[in-house]
């Protein structure tokens, strides 16, 4: 009976040992790590099964002896291996290092290893070393990919910032924004160009406010389709053409006819919106036309409303479509706000909501502080548009003095 019990206990211990070995092998495989021993006096080397996998070595060839290990290490990392060997022989604590190996002579299969070693001691002192070898190739490759992605992202941001600086500088050269209000007869005029927050969305919004040869004032805003340098270039062509055509003294709707033909025949695959008007300071009549642009907002006696919109299609949309001329008689104290769609259009809200915000903010504009009032108006409607730039042109009508 005793022999039977002893045999059962022995079988139980063997079963536990086998289960532990299986679990250990499983852990090594999942962690892609194994253990190794090198005995200095006997030259014996012992590897676990997973170390053979890490080195891509047939177990039938046996483990790599310590003197031959350097032959499998990437030449640039041999000094790291030497320092590791020296450190483990001088220390009683575990030491570690990372280096690269190649699986097989001349192999292109380069692996990153992390090795932790500690001295193997006996009665006569250090007799060898043992430790853990882990293949961390996947981890290091992922880290290098993340690092490279961060580097490329940083470079892209730097290029984008530089491109934005160049485009804004070019816009400023083409379309300098006046400092403060413009002093024209019987009016006070303030303008704003508000660039999009995103670099790639700097576009072709423009304005013009200047005296005409016949004593009227040319007031215009517009927006050329597209973004970036091409849109800025087309914006410059359109605005310069308007300045030249306006010298003819023709009405605003006739100027829109000519600009439409210009866009159709000279600016291929381009469309543009615009409002062009003439303000006569003697009669206070504002005669204007529009091409696909939202109507100006008129503020009179604290009430804001949009002017009735005359007929007109996008510039570049069709040939031969007439542009209607509208006339509005302004009064002393009136404020007229012309703007491009980037002021009120947002992806996150309906355009009617943006228009309501703009009219509510326009009611607060004051003729004596028109320049500062535009800044407050922009803040009230949510600040710069992330997706599109905008132009604003505000006209305050003064008395006869």
């Amino acid at each position: 009976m005793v022999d039977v019990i002893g045999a059962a206990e022995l079988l139980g211990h063997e079963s536990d040992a086998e289960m532990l070995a299986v679990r250990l092998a499983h852990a090594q495989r999942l962690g892609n790590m194994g253990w190794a021993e090198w005995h200095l006096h006997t030259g014996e080397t012992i590897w676990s099964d997973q170390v053979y996998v890490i080195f891509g070595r047939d177990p039938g060839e046996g483990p790599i002896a310590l003197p031959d290990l350097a032959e499998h290490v990437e030449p640039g990392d041999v000094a790291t291996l030497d320092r590791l060997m020296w450190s483990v022989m001088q220390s009683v604590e575990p030491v570690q290092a990372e280096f690269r190996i190649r699986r097989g002579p001349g192999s292109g299969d380069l692996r990153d290893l992390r090795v932790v070693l500690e001295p193997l001691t006996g009665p006569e002192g250090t007799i060898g070393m043992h430790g853990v070898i882990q293949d961390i190739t996947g981890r290091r490759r992922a880290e290098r990919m993340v690092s490279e992605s961060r580097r490329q992202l940083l470079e892209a941001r730097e290029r984008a910032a530089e491109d934005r600086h160049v485009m804004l500088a070019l816009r400023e050269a083409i379309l300098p924004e006046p400092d403060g209000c413009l002093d024209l007869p019987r009016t006070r005029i303030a303008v704003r160009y508000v660039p999009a927050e995103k670099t790639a969305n700097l576009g072709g919004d423009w304005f013009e406010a200047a005296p005409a040869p016949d004593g009227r004032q040319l007031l215009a805003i517009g927006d050329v389709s597209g973004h970036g340098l091409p849109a800025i270039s087309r914006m410059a062509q359109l605005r310069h053409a308007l300045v030249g055509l306006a010298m003819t003294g023709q009405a605003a709707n006739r100027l829109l006819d000519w600009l439409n033909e210009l866009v159709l025949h000279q600016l291929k695959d381009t469309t543009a919106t615009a409002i062009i008007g003439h303000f006569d300071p003697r009669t206070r009549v504002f005669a204007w036309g529009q091409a696909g642009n939202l109507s100006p907002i008129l503020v009179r006696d604290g009430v804001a409303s949009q002017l009735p919109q005359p007929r007109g299609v996008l510039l570049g949309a069709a040939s031969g479509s007439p542009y209607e001329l509208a006339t509005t008689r302004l009064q002393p104290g009136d404020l007229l706000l012309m703007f491009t769609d980037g002021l009120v259009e947002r992806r996150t809200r309906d355009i009617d909501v943006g228009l309501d915000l703009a009219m509510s903010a326009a009611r607060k504009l004051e003729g004596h502080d028109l320049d500062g009032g535009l800044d407050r108006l922009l803040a009230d409607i949510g600040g710069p548009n992330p997706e599109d730039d905008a132009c604003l042109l505000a006209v305050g009508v003064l008395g006869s003095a």
Side-chain angles (χ1 to χ4, degrees):
M1 178 65 71
V2 174
D3 292 339
V4 172
I5 294 174
E9 291 177 349
L10 181 60
L11 288 172
H13 288 311
E14 290 178 351
S15 178
D16 291 343
E18 290 175 357
M19 182 62 70
L20 181 61
V22 169
R23 289 174 177 171
L24 180 60
H26 184 61
Q28 291 184 66
R29 181 177 59 81
L30 290 178
N32 204 5
M33 65 175 66
W35 56 268
E37 289 186 1
W38 287 275
H39 295 264
L40 301 179
H41 296 320
T42 64
E44 181 182 14
T45 300
I46 306 172
W47 278 4
S48 69
D49 293 341
Q50 192 62 29
V51 179
Y52 287 98
V53 175
I54 292 171
F55 276 81
R57 189 175 178 85
D58 188 340
E61 298 180 87
I64 299 173
L66 190 59
D68 301 329
L69 189 57
E71 298 176 6
H72 298 264
V73 175
E74 181 70 4
D77 293 348
V78 170
T80 301
L81 175 65
D82 291 341
R83 287 193 296 270
L84 177 66
M85 297 295 110
W86 185 88
S87 297
V88 74
M89 299 305 295
Q90 303 297 318
S91 176
V92 296
E93 299 293 332
V95 294
Q96 60 179 303
E98 292 184 16
F99 52 82
R100 295 164 295 168
I101 64 165
R102 289 192 180 273
R103 286 178 166 177
S107 170
D109 190 1
L110 196 65
R111 315 299 294 180
D112 291 273
L113 302 189
R114 178 173 178 265
V115 180
V116 181
L117 297 176
E118 63 180 355
L120 190 63
T121 58
E124 62 275 26
T126 302
I127 60 173
M129 63 190 73
H130 62 179
V132 174
I133 299 173
Q134 184 178 22
D135 186 340
I136 56 172
T137 305
R139 183 190 308 172
R140 292 293 175 259
R141 182 180 296 123
E143 290 173 352
R144 287 191 289 269
M145 290 175 63
V146 170
S147 178
E148 177 64 15
S149 297
R150 287 176 177 169
R151 184 190 66 79
Q152 293 178 0
L153 179 60
L154 180 60
E155 289 182 354
R157 286 177 175 172
E158 290 174 348
R159 286 195 301 269
E162 184 177 351
D163 290 345
R164 182 181 182 87
H165 176 74
V166 170
M167 286 190 285
L168 287 173
L170 180 59
R171 280 197 59 98
E172 179 63 24
I174 296 172
L175 188 64
E177 187 172 342
D179 184 15
C181 290
L182 297 171
D183 290 327
L184 295 176
R186 299 185 183 178
T187 57
R188 171 157 291 182
I189 298 173
V191 297
R192 282 291 183 278
Y193 167 68
V194 188
E197 291 182 341
K198 293 184 179 179
T199 302
N201 287 340
L202 288 176
D205 289 50
W206 57 274
F207 61 86
E208 182 59 53
D214 58 6
R216 295 179 301 170
Q217 297 168 8
L218 175 65
L219 305 172
I221 60 165
D223 181 8
V224 176
S225 60
H227 296 97
L229 290 176
I232 294 174
S233 174
R234 292 190 290 267
M235 172 271 290
Q237 294 178 65
L238 191 65
R239 177 174 174 268
H240 291 159
L242 170 63
V243 173
L245 292 171
M247 299 301 291
T248 65
Q250 291 292 317
N253 60 331
R254 184 61 176 146
L255 298 180
L256 286 170
D257 283 330
W258 287 336
L259 290 180
N260 183 50
E261 294 300 316
L262 172 69
V263 175
L264 281 169
H265 297 98
Q266 297 296 324
L267 305 180
K268 298 295 186 180
D269 301 320
T270 300
T271 57
T273 63
I275 290 181
I276 299 175
H278 290 102
F279 177 68
D280 189 335
R282 293 163 297 187
T283 63
R284 298 193 184 92
V285 171
F286 178 57
W288 63 288
Q290 65 83 27
N293 202 97
L294 294 168
S295 296
I297 295 173
L298 173 64
V299 182
R300 176 175 291 170
D301 298 328
V303 178
S305 61
Q306 280 190 280
L307 295 181
Q309 189 174 52
R311 184 174 65 252
V313 298
L314 281 169
L315 299 177
S319 180
S321 297
Y323 291 91
E324 186 180 356
L325 185 69
T327 58
T328 303
R329 186 175 297 276
L330 302 179
Q331 300 176 8
D334 282 355
L335 287 168
L336 191 67
L337 179 65
M338 301 162 61
F339 55 93
T340 56
D341 58 3
L343 179 70
V344 295
E345 284 189 342
R346 304 289 169 98
R347 287 186 178 182
T348 56
R349 70 188 183 205
D350 187 81
I351 188 172
D352 290 335
V353 175
L355 278 170
D356 289 342
L357 287 172
M359 285 195 285
S360 177
R363 287 197 295 268
K364 304 175 186 176
L365 289 174
E366 298 175 352
H368 68 275
D369 186 24
L370 202 53
D371 193 54
L374 287 185
D375 292 330
R376 291 188 292 273
L377 181 145
L378 288 168
D380 288 344
I381 66 172
N385 189 332
E387 306 293 339
D388 197 9
D389 50 356
C391 268
L392 294 82
L393 193 156
V395 183
V397 181
L398 305 178
S400 58

